[in-house]
Amino acid sequence: MIKELFQKSKKKKYATVPSERERQNVPEGIMTKCPKCKKIVYTKDLNKNLNVCAFCSHHYKMTAHERINSIIDEGSFYEYDKDMISINPLNFPDYESKVEADRKKTGINEAIVTGKGKVNGIDIVIAVMDSNFRMASMGSAVGEKIARAVERAREDKVPFIIFTASGGARMQEGILSLMQMAKTSIALQQFGEEGGLFISVMTHPTTGGVSASFASLGDYNLAEPGALIGFAGRSVIEQTIRQELPEDFQTAEFLIKHGQLDAVVSRLDMKEKLTTILKIHKQGGDLEWLQV
């Protein structure tokens, strides 16, 4: 059943390869070179294709709001806890100034955006981590926003979806950062005990304390192609076990081969696949619509 749900899509991909003359006579930012296949395309085509390379399917980073716009029905998103910010509990040098710089750069107040919305008409609560903000490291504000979002999903009896992308716990907050692993996990356990549906989508990279807590607790654990997912770094593991690891170690493709994911889903297909899952679990719904 799972394999049938996640068959590859035949959606049209957007790509126009500029000529050599065009490349030499355009302003900076108009074109983008893929770091994987090295093809050069118009940035507007890349954006239209949800920041996925039309030639090699390399998934570029997305901001939190770009991700939300790609998943949530237009005009249906309402943000939670927008003004919640981190403090500096350990008086870590320059921490506040660095966080403030990230706020100005990204236009968001913390490394995660949470809220409610609709996915093809189905009510959900969503949380999206943004790696442009402190590498989406998990501090006390990030953990609190996730826990509150889960609580709202539990109260409203709607599914909870999270898109993760993180370097792990935020070292500038010390043990308070690590405590968020337990806080978020407990909130999700309570949500699950009351029958709540939790879908976790891991994007590149999802590492450290985030991968070891809420990111891996989904009723469905999905990932984008090529996403790095793991706890400790590759070199640390190789030095510890004194073995060379496979080339694709800690990628989404490696994890699904070893039973740690339910599916690897292209960003171009993500909204459709999430809709399929949500409809299957919708209370009182029937399956006559399911054509896979």
Side-chain angles (χ1 to χ4, degrees):
M1 180 67 169
I2 291 293
K3 288 183 179 179
E4 292 176 345
L5 291 179
F6 297 103
Q7 288 175 338
K8 290 186 178 179
S9 168
K10 296 181 180 178
K11 283 187 178 179
K12 176 182 177 182
K13 295 182 179 181
Y14 298 90
T16 303
V17 180
S19 67
E20 185 63 33
R21 184 177 179 180
E22 287 175 315
R23 296 179 202 175
Q24 295 173 355
N25 295 282
V26 295
E28 186 177 353
I30 297 295
M31 297 177 186
T32 301
K33 184 177 183 179
C34 177
K36 185 177 178 182
C37 71
K38 311 304 181 186
K39 295 280 189 180
I40 297 175
V41 298
Y42 286 109
T43 304
K44 65 178 182 180
D45 286 345
L46 181 63
N47 294 339
K48 192 183 293 186
N49 211 46
L50 301 182
N51 290 345
V52 176
C53 177
F55 297 98
C56 69
S57 295
H58 172 71
H59 283 49
Y60 290 76
K61 286 198 303 185
M62 292 185 92
T63 67
H65 285 291
E66 284 175 336
R67 180 86 60 184
I68 289 166
N69 291 338
S70 75
I71 297 297
I72 299 299
D73 297 350
E74 185 176 357
S76 72
F77 181 68
Y78 174 81
E79 187 171 350
Y80 295 144
D81 303 311
K82 183 176 182 178
D83 297 324
M84 186 180 294
I85 61 173
S86 296
I87 59 173
N88 190 2
L90 305 182
N91 293 318
F92 200 94
D94 300 322
Y95 177 44
E96 291 164 308
S97 61
K98 289 179 179 178
V99 170
E100 182 59 31
D102 275 4
R103 289 193 190 109
K104 292 179 180 177
K105 179 182 73 174
T106 62
I108 56 178
N109 285 324
E110 250 304 335
I112 193 165
V113 175
T114 61
K116 65 179 179 179
K118 296 179 183 290
V119 178
N120 284 324
I122 302 173
D123 291 314
I124 58 106
V125 169
I126 190 170
V128 181
M129 305 187 81
D130 192 327
S131 61
N132 296 292
F133 192 112
R134 297 281 91 202
M135 197 48 220
S137 52
M138 177 179 61
S140 51
V142 169
E144 181 67 15
K145 290 184 74 169
I146 293 171
R148 290 190 184 192
V150 174
E151 285 295 310
R152 287 180 167 116
R154 184 170 67 85
E155 292 169 1
D156 294 343
K157 293 181 169 45
V158 298
F160 176 64
I161 301 173
I162 191 166
F163 286 82
T164 62
S166 178
R170 191 174 297 180
M171 67 176 188
Q172 293 91 342
E173 296 186 26
I175 192 64
L176 294 176
S177 176
L178 296 177
M179 287 169 59
Q180 308 312 310
M181 296 172 66
K183 178 197 288 184
T184 54
S185 297
I186 290 170
L188 286 166
Q189 180 183 2
Q190 294 173 339
F191 179 60
E193 287 174 350
E194 295 190 19
L197 172 65
F198 171 36
I199 304 171
S200 176
V201 184
M202 289 169 260
T203 71
H204 180 79
T206 296
T207 60
V210 170
S211 70
S213 56
F214 57 86
S216 302
L217 298 178
D219 297 302
Y220 291 85
N221 289 319
L222 313 179
E224 288 190 334
L228 173 67
I229 302 166
F231 182 65
R234 181 191 186 97
S235 60
V236 172
I237 298 172
E238 288 185 329
Q239 291 172 21
T240 302
I241 66 175
R242 300 182 184 278
Q243 292 180 24
E244 186 175 344
L245 296 168
E247 186 69 26
D248 63 347
F249 182 69
Q250 290 185 323
T251 64
E253 290 74 16
F254 180 89
L255 266 63
I256 196 167
K257 283 192 295 187
H258 292 79
Q260 293 178 279
L261 291 172
D262 293 304
V264 176
V265 183
S266 168
R267 187 179 299 160
L268 301 175
D269 303 327
M270 189 63 71
K271 184 170 184 177
E272 174 191 343
K273 303 309 180 187
L274 290 175
T275 302
T276 298
I277 295 172
L278 293 170
K279 285 185 174 180
I280 288 174
H281 290 269
K282 190 174 181 182
Q283 188 174 4
D286 60 61
L287 298 182
E288 291 183 4
W289 54 270
L290 186 57
Q291 302 292 328
V292 293

